[in-house]
Amino acid sequence: MDLLKHAITVKGKVLPGDVLKVGSFLNQQIDVRLLADMAKDIFAHFCNCAVTKVLTVESSGIALACLTAQFFNCNAVFAKKSKSNNIEGEMLSAECYSYTHNTANVLLVPREYIAPDDKVLFVDDFLAKGEALRAAVKLVKEAGATFVGAAIAIEKGFQGGGDQLRKEGVDVYSLAIIDSMKPGEIVFRN
Amino acid sequence: MDLLKHAITVKGKVLPGDVLKVGSFLNQQIDVRLLADMAKDIFAHFCNCAVTKVLTVESSGIALACLTAQFFNCNAVFAKKSKSNNIEGEMLSAECYSYTHNTANVLLVPREYIAPDDKVLFVDDFLAKGEALRAAVKLVKEAGATFVGAAIAIEKGFQGGGDQLRKEGVDVYSLAIIDSMKPGEIVFRN
């Protein structure tokens, strides 16, 4: 997705520890025009999948999930991150380790927000080792719903999570896949 | 805003401690059609204010902020909540006490995301005592930018924060103001 790759190249900052900062347009300051174009692209890929719900994880996935849900004319839902599995009410839950922040979280969604007849598209800003995506698959399975696939803004291809999940049969659609990066040089997969 | 009041009446749940749960359509599961209508209403109120940035707080304000920013054709920014004032890089910061969660947070926004010539509209899902709104005013002042006003989905009128801020001259525009509530009975201000 050329608009996104351009924004990453111009505005993204590569930091030590394989961190790519894109907060100025993607996930803290949000360029809603760019994200609407990205959502349109995601819609084009999944438009025949009868998506009924868009699922993401707080906070940085919420913007893209909402704009994507507008195209599918369905609701968006985000999983909350909790440090503990201390759950009130009936919750769907899945453990999720963040290599970026070196923390273990539990993702929580009230069970009533994902129905067994839902066809769920997972949307997120980043995919690295695929921990959040795997947790999302688990949440959807626990709900008895159908996992349609995953739409990712930026996949860190060099971390392998996306390719592994594709091998396992998950439809992982990434708008930009980075094969390598260092300060001043980001190489995208064609 | 009748569509929102209807949704609150039908789907909202009043819990002990003056808690109103609206997670099924407003701030965890997100009814993007309803929120787009709410954003249109917000735009109508502030359309002559030359808004250049929409500011909110993670996580539950992000959806409405993004959809509102689409009408103003500008970027949205959210403040992150941190437990500490331990700041890396140049950050705008403001303390914010949450009476709902009984926690003290520091709201953080990278200084580069709010420019001195920005005209900032604050958007949030709830206003009770007005702590988050006051913190937002402080962030915008610290940035040297102009605070245009606040657009709130649901104001708990009985907690007084909105009326106090209006007395102080802040343009607080709430789509639904609740004057009193108990299980099964929510009374809106006309």
Side-chain angles (χ1 to χ4, degrees):
Chain A
M1 206 266 186
D2 291 338
L3 279 171
L4 175 60
K5 289 179 189 170
H6 175 72
I8 295 167
T9 304
V10 173
K11 298 176 188 164
K13 285 179 195 163
V14 180
L15 302 182
D18 286 336
V19 173
L20 176 63
K21 292 282 278 186
V22 286
S24 67
F25 63 97
L26 184 65
N27 57 13
Q28 184 169 6
Q29 178 165 224
I30 298 145
D31 179 340
V32 291
R33 291 146 294 199
L34 173 62
L35 265 70
D37 274 326
M38 291 162 60
K40 192 175 180 181
D41 197 274
I42 291 168
F43 178 71
H45 184 86
F46 290 103
C47 64
N48 295 321
C49 298
V51 170
T52 63
K53 199 143 289 178
V54 174
L55 174 66
T56 188
V57 178
E58 66 175 353
S59 296
S60 54
I62 297 173
L64 186 57
C66 286
L67 299 185
T68 301
Q70 287 195 298
F71 282 92
F72 288 103
N73 196 28
C74 71
N75 288 352
V77 175
F78 64 86
K80 292 191 181 185
K81 292 175 192 165
S82 172
K83 293 292 166 208
S84 71
N85 223 329
N86 186 1
I87 297 166
E88 49 171 303
E90 209 188 350
M91 290 283 192
L92 304 165
S93 70
E95 285 183 30
C96 176
Y97 187 79
S98 166
Y99 287 92
T100 310
H101 300 105
N102 199 25
T103 53
N105 288 308
V106 179
L107 303 190
L108 296 173
V109 177
R111 185 176 287 274
E112 63 183 291
Y113 297 170
I114 303 179
D117 61 353
D118 267 329
K119 295 182 190 301
V120 181
L121 174 65
F122 179 68
V123 168
D124 211 355
D125 57 338
F126 272 101
L127 185 156
K129 298 204 176 177
E131 293 293 308
L133 203 167
R134 286 183 188 281
V137 171
K138 189 164 172 286
L139 285 175
V140 172
K141 196 173 178 181
E142 200 185 327
T146 306
F147 191 89
V148 164
I152 305 294
I154 304 174
E155 177 180 337
K156 291 176 175 172
F158 56 89
Q159 296 204 353
D163 290 330
Q164 178 58 38
L165 281 151
R166 288 184 191 99
K167 270 187 206 159
E168 295 170 22
V170 180
D171 184 356
V172 181
Y173 181 64
S174 298
L175 300 180
I177 303 179
I178 295 174
D179 270 339
S180 70
M181 62 182 198
K182 58 185 181 185
E185 189 186 320
I186 298 171
V187 179
F188 295 103
R189 190 179 297 179
N190 274 325
Chain B
M1 205 267 185
D2 292 338
L3 280 171
L4 175 60
K5 289 179 188 169
H6 175 73
I8 295 168
T9 304
V10 173
K11 298 176 190 164
K13 286 179 193 163
V14 180
L15 303 181
D18 286 336
V19 173
L20 175 64
K21 292 282 279 186
V22 287
S24 68
F25 63 96
L26 184 64
N27 56 15
Q28 185 169 5
Q29 178 164 222
I30 296 147
D31 179 340
V32 292
R33 290 146 295 201
L34 173 62
L35 265 69
D37 275 326
M38 293 163 60
K40 194 175 179 179
D41 197 274
I42 292 167
F43 178 70
H45 184 85
F46 290 102
C47 64
N48 294 321
C49 299
V51 170
T52 62
K53 198 143 290 177
V54 174
L55 173 67
T56 190
V57 177
E58 68 175 351
S59 297
S60 53
I62 298 172
L64 185 58
C66 285
L67 298 186
T68 300
Q70 285 194 299
F71 281 92
F72 288 102
N73 195 28
C74 71
N75 288 352
V77 175
F78 64 86
K80 293 192 180 183
K81 291 175 191 164
S82 172
K83 294 291 168 209
S84 70
N85 223 329
N86 187 359
I87 299 164
E88 50 170 301
E90 211 190 346
M91 290 283 193
L92 303 165
S93 70
E95 285 183 29
C96 176
Y97 187 79
S98 167
Y99 288 93
T100 310
H101 300 104
N102 199 25
T103 52
N105 288 309
V106 178
L107 304 189
L108 297 174
V109 177
R111 184 175 288 272
E112 62 184 291
Y113 297 170
I114 303 180
D117 60 353
D118 267 328
K119 294 181 190 301
V120 182
L121 174 65
F122 178 69
V123 169
D124 212 355
D125 58 338
F126 273 102
L127 185 155
K129 299 205 176 179
E131 293 294 308
L133 203 168
R134 286 182 189 279
V137 170
K138 188 165 171 289
L139 285 175
V140 172
K141 195 172 177 182
E142 202 185 327
T146 306
F147 190 88
V148 165
I152 305 293
I154 303 174
E155 177 181 336
K156 292 175 173 172
F158 56 88
Q159 296 203 355
D163 290 330
Q164 179 58 38
L165 281 151
R166 288 184 191 99
K167 271 187 206 160
E168 296 170 21
V170 181
D171 185 357
V172 182
Y173 181 65
S174 297
L175 301 180
I177 302 179
I178 295 174
D179 271 340
S180 70
M181 62 183 200
K182 58 186 182 185
E185 189 187 320
I186 297 171
V187 179
F188 295 103
R189 190 180 298 181
N190 275 324

